[in-house]
Amino acid sequence: MYLEEQVIRLNKLFEQLEKKRNIAVWGAAENTVRLFQDTSLLNYDITEITDIKKAGKFFFGKILKLPEEIDWERIEAVVVSSFYHEDEIEQDLRLKYGYAGLIIKLNETGQTQPFYQCLPRKDLQTDHKFQDILKGNKSLKDIHKNERIFILCCGPSIQQQDLTLLKDEITMAVSSFYMHKDLKIIQPNYYCNAQWARNEKLSDDVEMEYLKELHKNVGHSRYFFAAQEKELIENSHVFDSREVNYYYYDYSDYHGICRPYFYQEVDLCQEIMPVHSVPVLCIQLALYMGFGEIYLLGTEHDSLITNQYTYFYDKDKCVTGRKDVTIDENDRLVWDFSRSLADTYRLWENYKAVKRIADAGNVKIYNATAGGALDLFPRVDFYQLFSQKQNKKEG
């Protein structure tokens, strides 16, 4: 849910205050400031504001009071503006202060986080030059309602797993997965490429070479590229326009300027959440397409522990294998620990955001990776996912 929609809900909730006098607000932190700024709350008869930690200070022209200093008998309504403690405050009002009047709690609108943490819909307006190409994504909305998908990433753990079991499953592969020995057996339905972060090693020429290798090996699939790459994709002359879709996110937000918790849903016809790793992008695509179960493979994300960043394939045989400026010739991270820690934190925040969106839609995300550090999703045994099918086959 976006900020504008939250404000509408709150204003509807506050309509109960229309005929009330001597209204008190409990809480004088950021939530209250944003309520006064963004909603209709100040249009009502607010006479008291209480905050235990800030009593005696001025706040929107009033002196903040302790709860004990307020005559609760003359208060006709209380707005509780302390998002994470609403139930406790309501209990204190009823039992400790004997308040019997109207209490309005913001979580009555179904909020799962402070309303001001919701992203304004206007901030998701895509650059006009990309809007037309994103319209084509509308046809993908919920086309796989309640089906399951396997997201195939490039961590070394997939060498330990028999991926031929995925022959009849819906799959989405990423990056250089085309180097996997079982690619032709799996034949990914979808292929997702993260927006390229160019550096002194990763040039347009390298990407052009990669695109040709990708299509040569994968052939027919539904490919996803960043909208910013459209011109280069077309200039490669290797993809049929009918097999390519584009997504858009603002790469300048990559390092956390636009916080992941702002995003409440995925709309591929608009800007989506900037990502720190391609699996997060894949999850967003899968959510938009309506999948009910999402399984991750090859997502170790354990470089902070191992101080190495490795893949299942030989980097010397890969077009982009030795183009990563964040690792040295021995696959060790060149960043110091603090930088690696910060980057891992941002990645985990990314995953938490897509998990929250998935949970809201009752979509299940599972980690079927053999090992690794990603601990935000339930672990499942990859082979158990096919045991029933195998038993039927043997029967």
Side-chain angles (χ1 to χ4, degrees):
M1 186 177 297
Y2 296 99
L3 178 63
E4 294 88 345
E5 296 162 319
Q6 285 284 25
V7 169
I8 290 172
R9 286 193 176 197
L10 288 167
N11 287 343
K12 186 69 176 177
L13 185 66
F14 294 151
E15 287 178 4
Q16 301 173 74
L17 303 173
E18 187 67 42
K19 297 183 180 180
K20 301 294 183 182
R21 295 295 176 263
N22 297 322
I23 300 167
V25 175
W26 188 310
E30 184 174 6
N31 201 73
T32 305
V33 173
R34 294 298 299 269
L35 283 175
F36 286 168
Q37 291 176 341
D38 298 339
T39 76
S40 61
L41 185 55
L42 272 182
N43 294 338
Y44 300 100
D45 187 32
I46 309 297
T47 58
E48 303 283 4
I49 304 176
T50 179
D51 191 294
I52 295 173
K53 295 181 180 180
K54 301 177 182 178
K57 296 182 179 180
F58 275 96
F59 186 81
F60 279 81
K62 300 185 184 302
I63 297 178
L64 298 175
K65 295 182 180 179
L66 291 169
E68 293 83 1
E69 297 175 318
I70 295 177
D71 180 2
W72 293 107
E73 289 187 1
R74 61 185 292 273
I75 298 298
E76 296 185 13
V78 180
V79 176
V80 180
S81 180
S82 181
F83 187 81
Y84 297 104
H85 304 285
E86 292 190 343
D87 292 337
E88 301 167 35
I89 292 172
E90 180 183 32
Q91 187 175 26
D92 279 350
L93 281 166
R94 298 299 190 199
L95 301 180
K96 188 174 181 179
Y97 302 108
Y99 181 69
L102 173 66
I103 297 177
I104 292 180
K105 298 187 296 181
L106 304 188
N107 60 21
E108 293 172 11
T109 64
Q111 290 187 64
T112 57
Q113 64 190 65
F115 81 98
Y116 58 84
Q117 290 184 355
C118 295
L119 192 71
R121 186 177 289 276
K122 62 180 177 62
D123 286 357
L124 288 182
Q125 293 303 308
T126 307
D127 190 311
H128 70 278
K129 64 182 178 182
F130 301 126
Q131 288 177 358
D132 285 343
I133 66 173
L134 295 180
K135 289 178 181 178
N137 292 331
K138 190 174 182 179
S139 63
L140 298 175
K141 180 65 176 175
D142 290 335
I143 61 172
H144 291 291
K145 194 68 175 176
N146 297 325
E147 296 182 84
R148 75 176 184 177
I149 186 172
F150 291 81
I151 295 175
L152 308 176
C153 300
C154 297
S157 64
I158 60 174
Q159 292 178 308
Q160 308 170 31
Q161 297 170 309
D162 179 10
L163 299 190
T164 61
L165 293 170
L166 299 173
K167 180 178 183 297
D168 298 317
E169 298 285 344
I170 302 175
T171 55
M172 181 184 293
V174 310
S175 305
S176 297
F177 183 85
Y178 68 80
M179 298 190 67
H180 196 278
K181 63 182 180 63
D182 295 322
L183 176 72
K184 294 301 181 183
I185 297 174
I186 301 168
Q187 193 53 53
N189 305 81
Y190 299 99
Y191 213 103
C192 182
N193 295 266
Q195 185 176 342
W196 282 50
R198 285 170 175 73
N199 55 55
E200 61 269 25
K201 294 182 179 180
L202 207 55
S203 63
D204 284 358
D205 290 341
V206 173
E207 182 175 3
M208 189 68 76
E209 184 182 356
Y210 163 81
L211 293 173
K212 292 178 179 178
E213 281 291 304
L214 173 64
H215 198 269
K216 174 184 173 181
N217 286 276
V218 178
H220 177 68
S221 187
R222 171 61 64 177
Y223 296 91
F224 288 94
F225 296 101
Q228 295 90 326
E229 309 289 338
K230 184 176 185 292
E231 183 177 355
L232 193 65
I233 302 303
E234 293 177 342
N235 289 340
S236 71
H237 302 297
V238 295
F239 297 95
D240 186 317
S241 61
R242 294 170 295 181
E243 63 184 1
V244 174
N245 284 77
Y246 295 95
Y247 60 84
Y248 175 82
Y249 62 76
D250 187 350
Y251 197 76
S252 66
D253 287 341
Y254 181 82
H255 291 294
I257 298 170
C258 200
R259 304 300 184 200
Y261 56 67
F262 283 150
Y263 289 81
Q264 305 296 314
E265 61 185 50
V266 179
D267 182 355
L268 289 185
C269 296
Q270 299 290 338
E271 179 181 343
I272 61 174
M273 179 176 62
V275 304
H276 288 269
S277 188
V278 67
V280 180
L281 173 58
C282 293
I283 292 173
Q284 292 188 80
L285 300 179
L287 289 172
Y288 184 77
M289 289 189 280
F291 286 99
E293 294 181 3
I294 301 170
Y295 295 88
L296 302 175
L297 289 162
T299 53
E300 282 91 317
H301 295 313
D302 56 2
S303 58
L304 184 65
I305 300 170
T306 64
N307 195 37
Q308 286 191 310
Y309 206 103
T310 56
Y311 302 96
F312 73 84
Y313 51 83
D314 182 349
K315 290 183 180 180
D316 291 324
K317 297 179 180 180
C318 178
V319 172
T320 60
R322 293 297 176 186
K323 309 300 182 183
D324 189 344
V325 296
T326 67
I327 56 177
D328 62 21
E329 64 277 4
N330 297 312
D331 297 328
R332 294 190 177 277
L333 296 174
V334 298
W335 296 332
D336 59 23
F337 181 78
S338 62
R339 172 68 185 272
S340 299
L341 182 63
D343 205 55
T344 300
Y345 171 78
R346 286 192 290 263
L347 173 59
W348 253 242
E349 289 300 296
N350 248 183
Y351 273 121
K352 287 179 182 178
V354 291
K355 182 179 186 302
R356 172 172 43 75
I357 296 171
D359 288 345
N362 200 30
V363 177
K364 307 300 181 184
I365 304 176
Y366 299 100
N367 188 358
T369 300
L374 185 58
D375 60 354
L376 295 176
F377 308 107
R379 291 273 186 173
V380 293
D381 185 306
F382 175 66
Y383 296 102
Q384 287 297 316
L385 299 173
F386 307 94
S387 58
Q388 188 175 9
K389 183 188 295 186
Q390 188 66 26
N391 290 339
K392 287 182 179 179
K393 183 178 179 181
E394 294 174 354

